[in-house]
Amino acid sequence: MSLKSAAPQARRAGRQTPGRDRATRSRGVRLGPLPWIGPALLLIVLVVLWPVYEMIRTSFLRISTSGFVRGSAGLDKYRKLFDEPDLGRVLLHTVVWTLAVVGLTMLLALALAQLFDQRFPGRRFTRWALIAPWAASVLMTSIGFKWMLNQTSGVLNTLFHDLGLIDGPRDWLGDPGTAWPWMMLVAVFVSLPFTTYTLLAGLQTVPAELHEAARVDGATAFQTYLRITLPLLRPAFLVGLVINLINVFNSFPVIWGMTQGGPNSDTATTTVFMYQLKNTDIAESAAMSVVNFALVVLMVLLFLRVSRWNQEEN
């Protein structure tokens, strides 16, 4: 090809390049952030939405104990679930369990976060030590406490007897009246690290100048905390509260590791009760899962409504 014939072609190619660039940019604008969030959306579909769909579908089937589908059951499994004599008690236990554990966790975490926000000898070591319950497996921690509370060989029975607190060995986890407090203690123990660090992060965003100004104005430490620190800590507090509500409501390892919901279903929450049902009726267990999922969604929506999560204060 001669130089004379190549030159016009190069000029035409140069004139066409900006058009192609504009078309590429236009396609990019139309796609927006989809190429970046696409993998995350796909992961949500596979990990969250697909299991939810399968859970709902299973609740309308008739499935044998060996796992074979025997056809559609309609709403029979939901009717069977709501006819369960233990369901009302399990729902009440779940509400009390959630409110007690989350309430104690938030109060203790507020105190610990305020403590760790101060300067004192050994602060770094105590911060690291707080991570231990969080780093360890929740099921492992629950089984460890179960061994310590064992009626015949548990170290806590021996300790309490030596201190004169009990007259003889007690079956702490065999009686619902004593099992619930111990399980709540373990649940608070494993929930404290995350909640404390969430609130501590919130405390460290509060400007020190505001505290100085409050002291200059004559405010006490309690007044400063109540009127300045807590309002500014609200976003971090709400994050910790919502996550704890969901985690504690759905808590399974603590209860299953310590009592397996027994005796019968006297120490079961809805999540544990769902697992107990699967031994006799998989589809009824799926129906309990759907009810549990709906309760979680309703609880979070009500909480966000009450706390005005999406509304700015005037």
Side-chain angles (χ1 to χ4, degrees), residues 78 108 126 140 152 167 169 171 190 228 232 266 285:
Y78 288 92
L108 291 175
T126 55
M140 182 182 72
T152 57
D167 297 329
D171 187 9
V190 299
I228 295 178
L232 294 176
D266 291 338
S285 176

Side-chain angles (χ1 to χ4, degrees), residues 4 12 18 84 94 100 112 117 125 131 159 161 189 195 255 288 302:
K4 290 183 179 181
R12 286 194 297 271
E84 289 285 349
T94 305
L112 286 174
D117 196 41
F125 174 77
I131 300 178
L159 176 63
H161 183 268
F189 178 70
T195 313
I255 299 175
M288 184 70 247
L302 286 175

Side-chain angles (χ1 to χ4, degrees), residues 98-119:
T98 303
L99 294 178
V101 173
V102 173
L104 285 172
T105 299
M106 297 307 298
L107 286 176
L108 291 175
L110 277 172
L112 286 174
Q114 190 65 31
L115 173 65
F116 290 149
D117 196 41
Q118 311 299 317
R119 295 189 178 275

Side-chain angles (χ1 to χ4, degrees), residues 95-165:
V95 172
V96 175
W97 161 266
T98 303
L99 294 178
V101 173
V102 173
L104 285 172
T105 299
M106 297 307 298
L107 286 176
L108 291 175
L110 277 172
L112 286 174
Q114 190 65 31
L115 173 65
F116 290 149
D117 196 41
Q118 311 299 317
R119 295 189 178 275
F120 58 89
R123 183 178 70 164
R124 179 176 297 181
F125 174 77
T126 55
R127 284 185 174 184
W128 289 347
L130 184 65
I131 300 178
W134 193 17
S137 165
V138 176
L139 182 60
M140 182 182 72
T141 303
S142 304
I143 293 174
F145 272 91
K146 180 181 179 179
W147 288 343
M148 289 190 289
L149 293 165
N150 186 271
Q151 183 177 5
T152 57
S153 58
V155 295
L156 288 179
N157 264 330
T158 304
L159 176 63
F160 290 162
H161 183 268
D162 292 343
L163 293 175
L165 300 177

Side-chain angles (χ1 to χ4, degrees), residues 74-88:
L75 295 174
D76 290 347
K77 299 305 176 181
Y78 288 92
R79 296 189 187 98
K80 182 181 178 182
L81 172 65
F82 291 123
D83 287 339
E84 289 285 349
D86 293 330
L87 181 61

